[in-house]
Amino acid sequence: MASNSRWKKSLLNFFHLEHYWKHPLFSAVRRTGQRLARGLRQWSHSLSKAATATRLSELLLIAAAVASIGLLIVVPLASVFVAAFANGPRAWWEAIAHDPDTRHAIWLSLTVAPVAVAFNTIFGIAAAWLVARFRFPGRTLLVSLFDVPFSVSPVVAGLALVLIFGRQGLFGPTLATFGAKVIFAWPGLVLATTFVTLPMVVRELIPVMEAIGPEEELAAVSLGANGWQVFWRITLPNIRWALLHGIVLANARAMGEFGAVYVVSGHIAGATDTMPLRVEKLFQEYRTPASMAVASVLAGLALVTLVAKVVIERQLEAESKELEAARASDAGTDPTTGGDLS
Amino acid sequence: MHSTMPPSATIPPRSRRPPPSRRAFRTVLPGFGISLAITSLVIVSLVIFPLAVLFLRAASLGPAGFLAAAWTPRARAAYAVSLGASLAAAGMSSLVGLLVAWVLVRLEFPGRRILDALVDVPLALPTAVAGLVYSTLYVEKGWLGQWLVPLGIHGAYSRLGIVLVLVFVSLPFAVRVVQPVIESLDKDTEEAARLLGASRSQTFLRVVLPGILPAVVTGFALALARSLGEYGSVVFISGNMPFKTEIAPVLIVSRLEEFAYAEATAIAVVLLAMSLAMLVVVNVLQQRLVRNSQ
């Protein structure tokens, strides 16, 4: 308090403001301000009797958070749909369905993404099983390698594929003699997409598998189940929601991947353009309404993904609570095994 | 674990079998061979091999050739724009992310769950769509541009635009890393600090922040890694003017389109090294923070 008034005094001296500070007009304004603040404080006090200033600052925080999410996320998302349907639904439909190149792009995205996601599902299950159920030298290194695609720029990943499979690349000449094409063709798109989404399924599965623990699988093996039986009857049902979560997210990323696919596709309209590439090409050709129409399809897909994600997360939460409850009751009744394994 | 009384107090002690060692019974499970085979095949062929080819190709240029390709004035400008915009975006994402995570965890208000779900939109929305929309929003006739451009704020075809889309793209990482840590914070400590006479800001700076700072730094690192490599959204909004708004990934692509593979590779290696160095720096920082808070 003392330091505060000293500051005020020196500030007033510095600017020669004492005169104005004591001026009736100024002090009237000052008093009104103080009265307003007091009134606001009393009003917020009446809102919650527990804390005086808490409500106001909380409201400000909420407003700030809502405003930033609104400005950064909601407004852009809303404007996609507004812009896409600006000329009516018929124009939207024509932009989507009557342009053969756009139709092909949609078809290509619908074929590339599932294949990439399928690869990642197989890899994800195998890798998570390996890491969550076995201990072996190099395991930590392996886990950190899973994350590499997240820190490599998609463009760099695409470039690496071009260096391997491109016409001047490592295997390019060999591939050419067989007439096979990877770069500027479907296989390149699948490879690039797979690389970019590689960590997504494993990342979801490892924590869930580790939380569930190997007890049920061990019981099945000890009762004579073979590997496939253990997988289909125990492991898969246990991890199904986590797996679905990973697949949904990987699919969203696969459908929307731009950088890596851009580099390997050669963006040939009607041949190697996926939906995001089509959005860019239409934009470059100054056909913004058509570009927005394709973008709105992708945005709609994103919204569906989001809803699916929320539903799946609710299931996951319920299952992890069930697991915890089961653990707790195990620990209560059978102390010889309860604590050791978890 | 969760029982209130120690189990030994209620159940008469039995002869305790020694628990079988972890190692022994993990090897009983089937599938080690096949899962190792699949995993290493994918990792080697899809991650290690391509990156190795990239590095070897760059190394084959020789030191002088590498420098000539990777250290041109235009490339240096691109690195600077990439790094500057990514740092700014990651910083902004961390701040906004901390705010949003705090509000989502600690405060109750109508629409909280919707806000929570909306945070994930950038993960699901293709970055190309984000870039397209942002550029149309901030141009002179756009929804936001009509207010901002007269004020001299150019959100499209400028460095500010790059930062804006990068914040959009990296925001979920910043929020989702901090959120569970705030959830796990002990509210009693904060109350104790308040009761002992600390002000609200003191409580936040001295009690809350040290606990969540490692998570904030991790979120910053993830946001930075994502921002440094981002291409799809930036290419729409930046205008891609060399020396001004051209980021390194865009430069790589334009070199590729000129079939200048050597130059593209060299720039890619620098970009890769930059993001790896950033990750290392942030990791060290984070470890130090964790050690300090313990």
Side-chain angles (χ1 to χ4, degrees):
Chain A
M1 217 43 208
S3 68
N4 194 5
S5 69
R6 205 191 308 141
W7 262 106
K8 201 194 276 172
K9 205 178 267 174
S10 63
L11 209 68
L12 290 176
N13 282 335
F14 186 77
F15 291 108
H16 302 288
L17 289 172
E18 313 91 322
H19 180 68
Y20 301 100
W21 187 250
K22 287 181 183 136
H23 193 274
L25 188 70
F26 194 91
S27 55
V29 170
R30 206 152 37 109
R31 244 177 286 130
T32 320
Q34 282 166 353
R35 216 172 292 154
L36 256 175
R38 212 178 306 139
L40 208 59
R41 213 169 259 205
Q42 270 166 5
W43 172 71
S44 66
H45 185 75
S46 69
L47 277 181
S48 95
K49 287 187 177 152
T52 326
T54 315
R55 276 312 282 183
L56 192 63
S57 64
E58 279 184 1
L59 280 177
L60 281 177
L61 278 181
I62 292 171
V66 169
S68 47
I69 293 291
L71 210 60
L72 279 170
I73 292 174
V74 179
V75 170
L77 194 61
S79 82
V80 181
F81 294 106
V82 172
F85 290 99
N87 300 329
R90 165 159 282 169
W92 178 84
W93 178 248
E94 270 172 14
I96 299 281
H98 291 200
D99 183 336
D101 289 348
T102 301
R103 269 208 313 259
H104 187 270
I106 295 174
W107 167 246
L108 193 62
S109 276
L110 288 178
T111 51
V112 168
V115 176
V117 170
F119 276 137
N120 275 326
T121 307
I122 296 169
F123 165 74
I125 291 172
W129 178 256
L130 184 71
V131 165
R133 292 290 179 265
F134 301 101
R135 295 288 177 274
F136 53 91
R139 178 174 165 278
T140 326
L141 181 71
L142 194 65
V143 174
S144 54
L145 278 175
F146 293 163
D147 278 340
V148 167
F150 273 161
S151 46
V152 173
S153 172
V155 170
V156 176
L159 171 64
L161 288 177
V162 171
L163 290 181
I164 296 174
F165 297 109
R167 223 178 331 156
Q168 304 176 356
L170 210 56
F171 300 155
T174 325
L175 283 172
T177 57
F178 289 110
K181 227 175 153 192
V182 175
I183 300 303
F184 304 157
W186 194 81
L189 297 179
V190 171
L191 275 177
T193 309
T194 310
F195 177 88
V196 170
T197 52
L198 196 65
M200 302 190 87
V201 178
V202 208
R203 281 279 130 213
E204 296 291 327
L205 290 185
I206 291 176
V208 172
M209 271 200 185
E210 275 178 348
I212 291 172
E215 293 85 2
E216 288 179 27
E217 286 139 7
L218 284 168
V221 169
S222 72
L223 293 173
N226 65 30
W228 283 118
Q229 286 171 321
V230 172
F231 176 72
W232 287 110
R233 305 229 178 133
I234 314 282
T235 311
L236 195 60
N238 273 341
I239 60 170
R240 62 178 194 270
W241 292 111
L243 185 64
L244 205 58
H245 197 240
I247 288 175
V248 165
L249 284 183
N251 183 57
R253 181 78 204 263
M255 288 270 187
E257 177 48 34
F258 187 85
V261 170
Y262 187 88
V263 172
V264 298
S265 79
H267 29 102
I268 308 157
T272 60
D273 261 354
T274 62
M275 267 154 86
L277 297 181
R278 188 73 195 144
V279 169
E280 197 255 3
K281 183 158 287 175
L282 288 169
F283 181 69
Q284 296 296 350
E285 290 170 358
Y286 299 103
R287 290 164 66 191
T288 310
S291 169
M292 278 292 184
V294 183
S296 75
V297 176
L298 285 167
L301 215 68
L303 286 181
V304 172
T305 303
L306 226 57
V307 172
K309 188 170 173 294
V310 169
V311 171
I312 294 166
E313 266 163 17
R314 216 164 274 178
Q315 295 288 338
L316 266 173
E317 221 167 277
E319 281 196 352
S320 81
K321 263 184 202 153
E322 225 169 82
L323 189 73
E324 232 167 74
R327 279 279 155 78
S329 68
D330 270 2
T333 53
D334 192 356
T336 53
T337 56
D340 295 335
L341 294 171
S342 53
Chain B
M1 266 192 298
H2 296 281
S3 54
T4 47
M5 233 187 292
S8 55
T10 52
I11 299 169
R14 322 179 240 189
S15 62
R16 249 180 106 109
R17 275 173 291 131
S21 83
R22 242 160 213 236
R23 196 179 192 92
F25 73 84
R26 297 236 155 158
T27 47
V28 171
L29 288 173
F32 180 76
I34 186 170
S35 56
L36 183 66
I38 294 175
T39 309
S40 38
L41 179 75
V42 172
I43 287 290
V44 168
S45 63
L46 217 55
V47 178
I48 296 177
F49 181 60
L51 293 183
V53 168
L54 193 76
F55 278 110
L56 286 178
R57 184 74 191 250
S60 72
L61 295 173
F66 181 82
L67 271 186
W71 214 246
T72 58
R74 184 171 166 190
R76 278 203 305 263
Y79 303 139
V81 173
S82 263
L83 205 59
S86 302
L87 282 171
M92 239 167 101
S93 272
S94 305
L95 280 182
V96 177
L98 179 59
L99 168 75
V100 171
W102 183 266
V103 167
L104 285 177
V105 174
R106 284 298 176 85
L107 305 178
E108 274 298 333
F109 55 97
R112 192 179 61 89
R113 301 204 74 144
I114 296 174
L115 195 71
D116 196 22
L118 281 173
V119 169
D120 285 328
V121 167
L123 290 182
L125 194 72
T127 52
V129 177
L132 170 69
V133 174
Y134 265 71
S135 67
T136 55
L137 277 178
Y138 286 93
V139 291
E140 211 174 335
K141 286 177 186 163
W143 285 10
L144 300 170
Q146 58 181 332
W147 310 108
L148 295 174
V149 171
L151 298 175
I153 302 171
H154 293 272
Y157 310 116
S158 65
R159 286 183 190 167
L160 175 66
I162 302 178
V163 175
L164 278 173
V165 285
L166 291 181
V167 171
F168 173 86
V169 165
S170 62
L171 187 64
F173 298 96
V175 176
R176 294 302 183 219
V177 173
V178 180
Q179 207 173 356
V181 180
I182 296 180
E183 261 164 29
S184 70
L185 275 186
D186 192 8
K187 264 191 187 170
D188 295 347
T189 336
E190 283 162 57
E191 263 166 42
R194 294 284 287 155
L195 286 173
L196 290 170
S199 71
R200 203 180 294 280
S201 55
Q202 276 176 327
T203 313
F204 184 78
L205 288 176
R206 299 269 178 87
V207 179
V208 177
L209 203 58
I212 55 177
L213 204 55
V216 174
V217 172
T218 310
F220 180 85
L222 288 175
L224 190 66
R226 181 73 211 262
S227 301
L228 267 178
E230 179 55 28
Y231 175 76
S233 53
V234 177
V235 80
F236 281 88
I237 202 169
S238 72
N240 310 318
M241 282 180 289
F243 296 103
K244 279 190 182 152
T245 56
E246 187 178 56
I247 58 166
V250 171
L251 182 59
I252 295 174
V253 171
S254 62
R255 284 288 176 259
L256 260 178
E257 282 169 351
E258 297 158 4
F259 300 104
Y261 288 105
E263 216 170 310
T265 310
I267 297 166
V269 166
V270 174
L271 183 65
L272 205 60
M274 220 152 67
S275 50
L276 289 181
M278 281 291 149
L279 282 182
V280 170
V281 167
V282 172
N283 261 331
V284 170
L285 200 69
Q286 192 193 351
Q287 271 168 10
R288 207 168 279 176
L289 281 170
V290 170
R291 221 180 301 140
N292 281 354
S293 67
Q294 272 166 359

